[in-house]
Amino acid sequence: MGYELRVVRESPIALADLVKAVEAAGFGLRGSDEIVARHGDGDHAVGAWRGQVVGEPGSDWQVAQLVRLSGALGARLVGEDGEVYALRDGVVEVLADGTALAIGAFDEMLAAGPAAWTP
């Protein structure tokens, strides 16, 4: 199991409302709980519904998609250690312990596609 990121909202969202918001933001659903985004000719997993949206990104593209999804849901993207992932001025940042660290240009992260990180 990888590192989990959670889409955290101030107020919970019902599954039916999640489906509407996900589709309005250009995401899709595969099965009853997997949220996907299109890249190239295919749909790729971004996260899953487990009472809240969670994801275990394996690429910068997936992190960027989760940031985009959290914005569409009016939520924050939070890591296991309490850090917050946010989009500011076109750059995805990680905010932890009062420090912001840029991890990449949002557009470049999306353009890179869902290819997995290599060790």
Side-chain angles (χ1 to χ4, degrees), residues 56-67:
E56 292 181 19
S59 69
D60 286 346
W61 179 86
Q62 286 173 312
V63 172
Q65 292 291 358
L66 285 166
V67 167

Side-chain angles (χ1 to χ4, degrees), residues 87-99:
L87 180 61
R88 185 173 63 153
D89 299 327
V91 175
V92 176
E93 297 180 328
V94 178
L95 309 165
D97 300 324
T99 302

Side-chain angles (χ1 to χ4, degrees), residues 20 22 26 37 39 48-49 56 62 67 81 85 87 91 99 102 108:
K20 289 179 198 172
V22 162
H39 183 80
W49 174 254
E56 292 181 19
Q62 286 173 312
V67 167
D81 298 325
Y85 294 73
L87 180 61
V91 175
T99 302
E108 291 174 10

Side-chain angles (χ1 to χ4, degrees), residues 12-103:
I13 188 168
L15 181 57
D17 293 330
L18 171 76
V19 170
K20 289 179 198 172
V22 162
E23 290 175 349
F27 292 91
L29 289 174
R30 185 165 39 208
S32 62
D33 65 347
E34 187 175 40
I35 299 167
V36 297
R38 181 161 277 308
H39 183 80
D41 292 334
D43 290 333
H44 302 273
V46 172
W49 174 254
R50 296 185 190 136
Q52 67 181 38
V53 177
V54 297
E56 292 181 19
S59 69
D60 286 346
W61 179 86
Q62 286 173 312
V63 172
Q65 292 291 358
L66 285 166
V67 167
R68 187 169 77 88
L69 179 59
S70 65
L73 295 174
R76 296 176 298 129
L77 184 61
V78 180
E80 290 178 8
D81 298 325
E83 74 280 10
V84 176
Y85 294 73
L87 180 61
R88 185 173 63 153
D89 299 327
V91 175
V92 176
E93 297 180 328
V94 178
L95 309 165
D97 300 324
T99 302
L101 173 66
I103 60 172

